[in-house]
Amino acid sequence: MARTQSRPNHAVRTLVAGVVAMLALAGLLAGVHLGGTAALTPKLGLDLEGGTQMVLTPRVVGDQTVTAQQVNQARDIIAQRVDSQGVSGAEVTTQGADNIVVSMPGDPTRQQEDNLRRSSALQFRPVLAAEAAGITGQATVSPGSGSGSATSGASSGSATSSGSASTTSGSGTSSRASDSSTSASRSRQRSVLPGATSTSSSSSSSGASSSSTSGTGSSSSSGSATTPTTKPTSPTDQAWISKEIAAQFTALDCSKPEALKNLVDDPAKPLVTCSTDGREKFILGPVAVFGKDISDAVAGYKVGPTGQPTSEVEIQLTFDSAASKTYADLSIEMLALPSPRNRLASTLDSRVIVAPQFNEAITGGRASITGGFTFDEAQDLAKQLKFGALPLSFDLQTRSQVSPTLGEEQLHLGLLAGLVGLLLVVLYSLVQYRALGLVTVASIVIAAILTYLVITILGWAQNYRLDMAGVTGLIVAIGVTADSFIVYFERIRDEVREGRTLRTAVDTGWNRARRTILAADGVNFLGALILYLLASSSVRGFAFTLGLTTLIDILVVFVFTHPIVSLLAQRPFFADGHRWSGLDPERLGAKVATRYVGRGRFAAPTPARSEGGRA
């Protein structure tokens, strides 16, 4: 008896949990809507709502040429960046020989536009010389001879960083010297610990990718500099500082917006550039480690000495095996060098985002960058680094609004087709299963509400947009959901035909139908997943909604349909096999006239049931 009573209680608890989950989703949507950040309707895709079309053209400096391979590579990387932003239904194509056309639903922000066309070329270069910016013409840098060091010719401008930073080995923390408001020449010095780089306060910026320029606006490639008297032997060698490089460094004024406009960044040659905040200028050696050697990049909050997350945002980088060894060897070499030559600059699009000094060798193949980022900025940069740098930087040629290719009329027709299909499923359920068919109707309604809430919340949280292919997936899902109920109900009716009571039939039928439902939905979800991963963007919307509704179908069957049927089996209307219940044993063609009621007992059908069975 206790076991019999526990079944309804378990069914009630399951139903309550399902209702609470659905109310939680509805409450979340209502909350973010009242907060002014979400709509109460799903976002629509490019083909249903229209959007923005941007034509990007490569930025070419001097005699630089653009190849078809570079354009195709850039198109693929931009497509990955669009997908990483959660934009559904975007289209990225090439136009002519070198232009790239990006069509996105809605109205992208300026930050999103910059993230798409920015090269995001991350490089690690050793610092050969550094000084505070804004003192053009007051300092000179002597050409290197292979063993000499860069020196300042003026007392107010030192080529090496003044001020000291404490470096605590193994503590997991680093401190930075503060800038002096009274000394224009004082530049900030940082420390690096294994697996982490402490940073400048500057945030990432999309500097131009081109050739070192002087503050006067005239530009000359660093590759055209006078040949050093001694051939450099490593990226850290001072012999890279030729007379022309030294002159460019002296003349560079980072306070001017156009100071690096025509800069050409050759990875095999030294680079004269500025920090992203314009407070410091550098002579950097050739690239020691490339951004393409980064196997993973993840944004998060930096962990403090106690193991607790701090408020400082960092980007954790993981190098591949070859780059890990190069990075380790470089850190060991630079430990013995004087300041500022013991600093390793991280450049993003030819500008220095951070230039910390080494205080220990970094042999684990991991590093982190912190630079005063916001969390969103760090996430955007991590995604760009993870997918790789564009082979070219792009400028926005045109930006225009595009109208929907299908429009509201086609959407209405699609929804009408879905409504007709739903009505047919409801009609079939009521004719075939009578009162039991109402459970199918209620289950489909619950599944529709959950799907609507999830898609709308995804539009707010992940910028997911429902396109026409996605609408098609929702329509197909009606049949998928109905299949699960049919499998379950037919299993129950099979058990009733064998002469079992409805309560026993519900339990036995569920145990057998559950495996079939999970297997069918599992195959369906696997097909949707493969289609999503391998198909083009125009088909992904269909695959996504089909996979989503498959998961929702499993949830509804387990937390709503089965508990409801279990509770209904306790009601006399269904338990006694009323003619309109859809579970009348005689109407179903039970094999025996008597019914098994448990413990070796059988009961003959009552006259009322026999009368009902002949109806």
Side-chain angles (χ1 to χ4, degrees):
M1 179 64 67
R3 181 182 177 184
T4 303
Q5 292 177 349
S6 66
R7 292 174 182 172
N9 293 336
H10 176 73
V12 170
R13 288 195 298 269
T14 304
L15 274 175
V16 170
V19 171
V20 169
M22 188 166 64
L23 291 178
L25 288 176
L28 173 62
L29 180 59
V32 295
H33 172 70
L34 294 176
T37 58
L40 294 178
T41 56
K43 291 184 178 181
L44 300 181
L46 184 66
D47 54 353
L48 298 177
E49 186 184 55
T52 304
Q53 184 180 81
M54 295 174 288
V55 179
L56 308 179
T57 184
R59 183 183 303 159
V60 180
V61 178
D63 58 354
Q64 184 180 7
T65 59
V66 178
T67 65
Q69 181 180 3
Q70 289 176 319
V71 174
N72 292 333
Q73 181 184 357
R75 177 200 60 201
D76 294 339
I77 295 176
I78 290 175
Q80 289 179 318
R81 291 182 180 180
V82 172
D83 291 340
S84 71
Q85 294 180 6
V87 179
S88 174
E91 299 177 0
V92 182
T93 58
T94 57
Q95 181 186 73
D98 50 12
N99 288 345
I100 294 179
V101 180
V102 182
S103 300
M104 301 175 61
D107 189 15
T109 63
R110 179 62 180 273
Q111 181 65 28
Q112 287 177 316
E113 290 183 17
D114 291 341
N115 289 341
L116 293 181
R117 58 192 177 92
R118 179 184 298 164
S119 175
S120 296
L122 182 69
Q123 300 172 344
F124 295 89
R125 292 173 176 262
V127 175
L128 303 181
E131 71 175 26
I135 53 174
T136 306
Q138 297 182 18
T140 60
V141 178
S142 302
S145 62
S147 61
S149 60
T151 59
S152 172
S155 60
S156 62
S158 172
T160 62
S161 292
S162 59
S164 62
S166 65
T167 58
T168 306
S169 173
S171 66
T173 62
S174 61
S175 61
R176 180 179 60 209
S178 60
D179 293 330
S180 172
S181 59
T182 60
S183 175
S185 64
R186 177 165 295 181
S187 60
R188 290 168 296 172
Q189 185 172 338
R190 302 122 180 126
S191 63
V192 177
L193 297 180
T197 53
S198 77
T199 66
S200 67
S201 60
S202 59
S203 60
S204 63
S205 138
S206 64
S209 73
S210 30
S211 133
S212 325
T213 62
S214 66
T216 60
S218 61
S219 65
S220 62
S221 171
S222 58
S224 63
T226 303
T227 304
T229 56
T230 303
K231 186 176 180 180
T233 58
S234 71
T236 61
D237 198 331
Q238 288 289 91
W240 289 107
I241 304 179
S242 65
K243 292 181 180 180
E244 289 197 14
I245 293 294
Q248 290 174 21
F249 178 75
T250 302
L252 179 62
D253 185 357
C254 293
S255 63
K256 295 183 178 180
E258 304 297 320
L260 302 177
K261 181 179 180 180
N262 297 318
L263 180 132
V264 174
D265 190 345
D266 188 338
K269 298 175 182 178
L271 179 70
V272 178
T273 187
C274 304
S275 62
T276 53
D277 59 6
R279 296 183 181 181
E280 195 171 9
K281 59 182 180 178
F282 300 88
I283 300 179
L284 306 178
V287 176
V289 180
F290 290 87
K292 62 182 178 61
D293 298 323
I294 296 173
S295 59
D296 194 16
V298 180
Y301 289 99
K302 188 175 181 179
V303 178
T306 61
Q308 297 296 322
T310 65
S311 59
E312 187 176 13
V313 179
E314 69 173 353
I315 301 173
Q316 296 181 349
L317 306 177
T318 303
F319 299 103
D320 59 29
S321 56
S324 297
K325 184 179 184 307
T326 302
Y327 199 89
D329 293 342
L330 185 66
S331 65
I332 294 173
E333 177 187 354
M334 296 183 68
L335 276 174
L337 298 177
S339 180
R341 295 174 57 199
N342 60 351
R343 298 170 62 186
L344 183 67
S346 302
T347 65
L348 182 68
D349 294 338
S350 305
R351 285 181 176 267
V352 176
I353 57 175
V354 57
Q357 72 176 21
F358 285 100
N359 68 336
E360 283 191 18
I362 299 178
T363 59
R366 295 177 179 271
S368 77
I369 299 176
T370 58
F373 309 109
T374 65
F375 186 76
D376 290 339
E377 289 173 343
Q379 277 191 319
D380 290 339
L381 179 56
K383 291 175 183 177
Q384 294 168 40
L385 298 178
K386 187 174 183 179
F387 295 130
L390 295 178
L392 302 163
S393 292
F394 287 84
D395 292 320
L396 181 63
Q397 186 181 71
T398 60
R399 186 181 193 276
S400 58
Q401 297 296 315
V402 294
S403 59
T405 56
L406 294 176
E408 293 186 0
E409 182 179 357
Q410 280 72 16
L411 176 61
H412 292 160
L413 291 175
L415 295 178
L416 179 61
L419 180 61
V420 171
L422 179 61
L423 292 177
L424 290 176
V425 170
V426 170
L427 181 62
Y428 170 81
S429 299
L430 295 178
V431 171
Q432 180 70 12
Y433 300 109
R434 300 194 177 188
L436 190 61
L438 294 175
V439 178
T440 301
V441 177
S443 298
I444 291 177
V445 171
I446 295 296
I449 294 174
L450 284 175
T451 303
Y452 184 90
L453 290 173
V454 171
I455 288 180
T456 306
I457 291 174
L458 285 175
W460 160 72
Q462 298 295 328
N463 199 27
Y464 171 76
R465 292 180 176 270
L466 184 64
D467 53 16
M468 197 62 202
V471 173
T472 305
L474 296 179
I475 296 173
V476 173
I478 297 174
V480 174
T481 304
D483 284 345
S484 300
F485 307 144
I486 292 174
V487 169
Y488 183 28
F489 295 162
E490 288 299 328
R491 265 327 219 163
I492 294 175
R493 294 172 71 159
D494 285 344
E495 298 300 325
V496 172
R497 290 188 184 99
E498 294 295 328
R500 293 184 174 85
T501 62
L502 181 58
R503 294 180 182 179
T504 304
V506 167
D507 292 337
T508 306
W510 170 248
N511 291 333
R512 295 180 178 179
R514 177 176 56 193
R515 294 191 295 268
T516 305
I517 293 172
L518 288 176
D521 281 345
V523 171
N524 197 53
F525 180 79
L526 182 61
L529 179 62
I530 294 175
L531 188 62
Y532 181 83
L533 295 176
L534 300 181
S536 62
S537 58
S538 59
V539 183
R540 281 187 169 184
F542 170 81
F544 180 82
T545 53
L546 183 61
L548 175 65
T549 51
T550 299
L551 296 178
I552 291 177
D553 171 52
I554 295 176
L555 178 65
V556 171
V557 169
F558 274 77
V559 305
F560 179 77
T561 308
H562 173 54
I564 282 290
V565 173
S566 298
L567 292 176
L568 292 178
Q570 313 297 321
R571 311 303 301 173
F573 179 82
F574 289 93
D576 294 341
H578 190 277
R579 57 182 294 186
W580 290 107
S581 67
L583 295 170
D584 181 7
E586 293 190 13
R587 182 175 180 272
L588 295 176
K591 292 182 179 180
V592 293
T594 59
R595 295 181 299 115
Y596 179 72
V597 295
R599 297 186 179 181
R601 295 178 298 145
F602 294 85
T606 61
R609 288 185 59 236
S610 298
E611 183 68 23
R614 290 192 295 270

